[in-house]
Amino acid sequence: MRRVYLDNNASTPLLPEVLDAMRPYFGEHFGNASSIHHHGQDTRAAVERARESVAELLGCRPAEVVFTSGGTEADNLAIFGLVGPGDHIITSTIEHHAVLNSCKHLQEKGIEVSFLPVDGRCLIDPDDLRRALRSNTKLVTIMMANNETGVLQPVEEIGKMCAEADVYFHTDAVQAASKVPIRVKEIGCDLLSISGHKIHAPQGVGALYVRKGATLEPLFHGGSHERSRRAGTENVAGIVGLGKAAELTMKSFEGQEDREMAALRDRLEAAILENVEAAGVNGEGAPRVPNTSSIYFDYIEGEAMVIALDLKGLAVSTGAACSSGAIEPSHVLTAMGLRPDRARASIRFSLGKQTTAEDVDFAIQLVPASLARLRELSPLYNKNAALQS
Ligand code: PLP
């Protein structure tokens, strides 16, 4: 059966060049990067080359890159590494759980947290941020691109505001990296998280940009790895993969790749919406990364649609989380003001570097047909159709 993967915001496949770059570090190059002998020097050099590539991707100095086990750890290191008793944090209601639950955990421990709302397009209002700033605000953590809608926040404006208020600014750029160029100096952030498996590098590796001069309390205590910011023997193969993916991303920005991806995404969106009724794009009208489309299809359950499409060979996802057997509507979509049933009826399509025009055609063919079958079974849809006839 033909299989098309349009769930790249969940995880991306390794690019062949990334796998090739990593392979020797599972074999002959096995040394501990902290060892002073030949084997250690060999892997140390590979880690430092990867650090340079990631620094280039982010527009920072290599010494400002801390390798982590992924986006979740990078977010946790930024937040728990900075905030202490008596501090105030500002975040948003649409953050990934790596940020949201870290802030909620601190709130339970007595730290004050302000959660900024978003509008119907998934955008925060910088004036809300201005109003939320207090004398004890230590950290503002607002994501660069949302994982469900792909909507890009006005991070440069937020960065300026934070600099004026002398407050640390962290941005979770896990879903922005490789989709839009990132220059940390232009954003004006002090901390920025990325994750390997969202940029065609492996799962289990990521990085946190830490501006020179920003001091963080480490999460782990052990050796003095990563300039004492992250103890633990380096995941050399993973780091090499991240470095290679960073390099390939930089090259892709020199060409047309991001524009081509946006054109494919736009074609997918337009063709689906042309062929189905009672559907729309979540976050329409806001600036978005080029690969993501979140579409609501009224009168269906998103989970049922994901299963129906998977049975036909198309992998997509909902933003919904299954907790204790009940399907909770996505916190992002409900924060945007979607009714819970519309949030539950939303599907996220996310393209990757491997996505072809034929893959998009496959989805364009399949989605309206699967939707029609599900709606035939929907009492709500049939009742509505009867009322309209
Ligand atoms: N932040 C965002 C916006 C994400 O989309 C994800 C993963 O889905 C993460 C953080 C967590 O990254 P990781 O899976 O590398 O821990």
Side-chain angles (χ1 to χ4, degrees):
M1 181 168 77
R2 173 161 190 193
R3 289 211 174 265
V4 169
Y5 183 77
L6 293 185
D7 196 16
N8 290 272
N9 284 10
S11 206
T12 52
L14 277 190
L15 289 174
E17 298 95 318
V18 172
L19 183 58
D20 286 347
M22 291 172 67
R23 205 175 268 117
Y25 297 92
F26 292 114
E28 61 192 290
H29 301 295
F30 60 85
N32 183 322
S34 298
S35 298
I36 57 173
H37 49 58
H38 162 81
H39 302 277
Q41 292 309 296
D42 194 36
T43 46
R44 167 58 50 205
V47 167
E48 296 315 317
R49 276 197 302 275
R51 200 185 304 282
E52 279 169 25
S53 301
V54 172
E56 214 175 302
L57 176 72
L58 304 180
C60 67
R61 303 171 209 214
E64 293 173 315
V65 173
V66 179
F67 289 118
T68 66
S69 65
T72 300
E73 189 193 325
D75 287 342
N76 273 260
L77 178 55
I79 296 167
F80 290 96
L82 264 184
V83 175
D87 290 338
H88 169 235
I89 309 176
I90 302 174
T91 187
S92 81
T93 47
I94 53 143
E95 297 299 311
H96 186 271
H97 284 118
V99 167
L100 206 54
N101 287 346
S102 296
C103 291
K104 284 183 182 166
H105 180 76
L106 283 170
Q107 197 177 33
E108 281 163 17
K109 301 259 172 207
I111 300 281
E112 292 177 295
V113 184
S114 301
F115 296 92
L116 301 183
V118 292
D119 65 14
R121 293 170 305 158
C122 199
L123 285 169
I124 70 147
D125 179 350
D127 282 337
D128 285 340
L129 170 58
R130 202 188 304 278
R131 282 189 287 271
L133 286 164
R134 301 184 196 162
S135 57
N136 64 334
T137 306
K138 180 72 177 269
L139 173 70
V140 170
T141 172
I142 308 269
M143 71 198 321
M144 191 165 171
N146 184 265
N147 40 302
E148 292 186 33
T149 60
V151 168
L152 287 156
Q153 297 299 325
V155 283
E156 292 187 13
E157 202 176 339
I158 296 169
K160 273 201 200 85
M161 229 177 252
C162 291
E164 277 164 23
D166 199 16
V167 168
Y168 283 100
F169 175 33
H170 164 247
T171 187
D172 175 338
V174 165
Q175 294 290 353
S178 96
K179 298 165 190 164
V180 291
I182 294 176
R183 308 321 288 157
V184 291
K185 299 288 179 294
E186 282 167 29
I187 295 171
C189 58
D190 303 284
L191 302 142
L192 180 144
S193 311
I194 62 166
S195 169
H197 71 112
K198 313 292 183 174
I199 67 165
H200 298 273
Q203 297 166 348
V205 66
L208 180 68
Y209 155 72
V210 182
R211 181 184 50 75
K212 185 170 184 268
T215 35
L216 290 182
E217 190 62 35
L219 289 180
F220 307 151
H221 297 274
S224 55
H225 310 84
E226 297 295 299
R227 296 174 184 245
S228 297
R229 294 168 297 190
R230 203 274 184 181
T233 302
E234 292 88 343
N235 165 12
V236 177
I239 289 170
V240 166
L242 183 63
K244 187 69 191 177
E247 249 177 62
L248 295 170
T249 293
M250 291 300 286
K251 276 208 193 96
S252 76
F253 288 135
E254 287 165 17
Q256 299 275 324
E257 250 182 58
D258 47 342
R259 268 156 286 175
E260 284 165 11
M261 187 179 280
L264 275 184
R265 187 271 315 269
D266 292 347
R267 185 158 73 78
L268 172 75
E269 224 166 56
I272 289 177
L273 293 179
E274 217 176 271
N275 287 304
V276 306
E277 52 174 15
V281 174
N282 298 315
E284 191 167 23
R288 279 186 291 159
V289 288
N291 81 316
T292 309
S293 180
S294 169
I295 304 183
Y296 65 82
F297 299 98
D298 284 343
Y299 309 114
I300 58 137
E301 285 293 334
E303 295 284 306
M305 179 86 159
V306 168
I307 294 165
L309 292 173
D310 189 44
L311 288 172
K312 299 276 180 195
L314 178 65
V316 295
S317 74
T318 66
C322 188
S323 67
S324 59
I327 297 166
E328 296 289 330
S330 138
H331 71 281
V332 174
L333 300 180
T334 49
M336 289 164 64
L338 267 74
R339 298 186 316 258
D341 61 313
R342 182 165 276 183
R344 275 198 297 265
S346 293
I347 298 288
R348 179 185 69 188
F349 302 86
S350 51
L351 284 59
K353 290 188 190 299
Q354 79 289 356
T355 306
T356 61
E358 291 72 34
D359 291 343
V360 165
D361 290 339
F362 182 75
I364 289 172
Q365 257 197 338
L366 204 60
V367 171
S370 296
L371 180 68
R373 267 193 298 280
L374 285 176
R375 281 183 173 167
E376 269 171 31
L377 304 172
S378 158
L380 270 178
Y381 181 71
N382 291 323
K383 194 169 148 202
N384 184 60
L387 282 174
Q388 286 185 359
S389 64

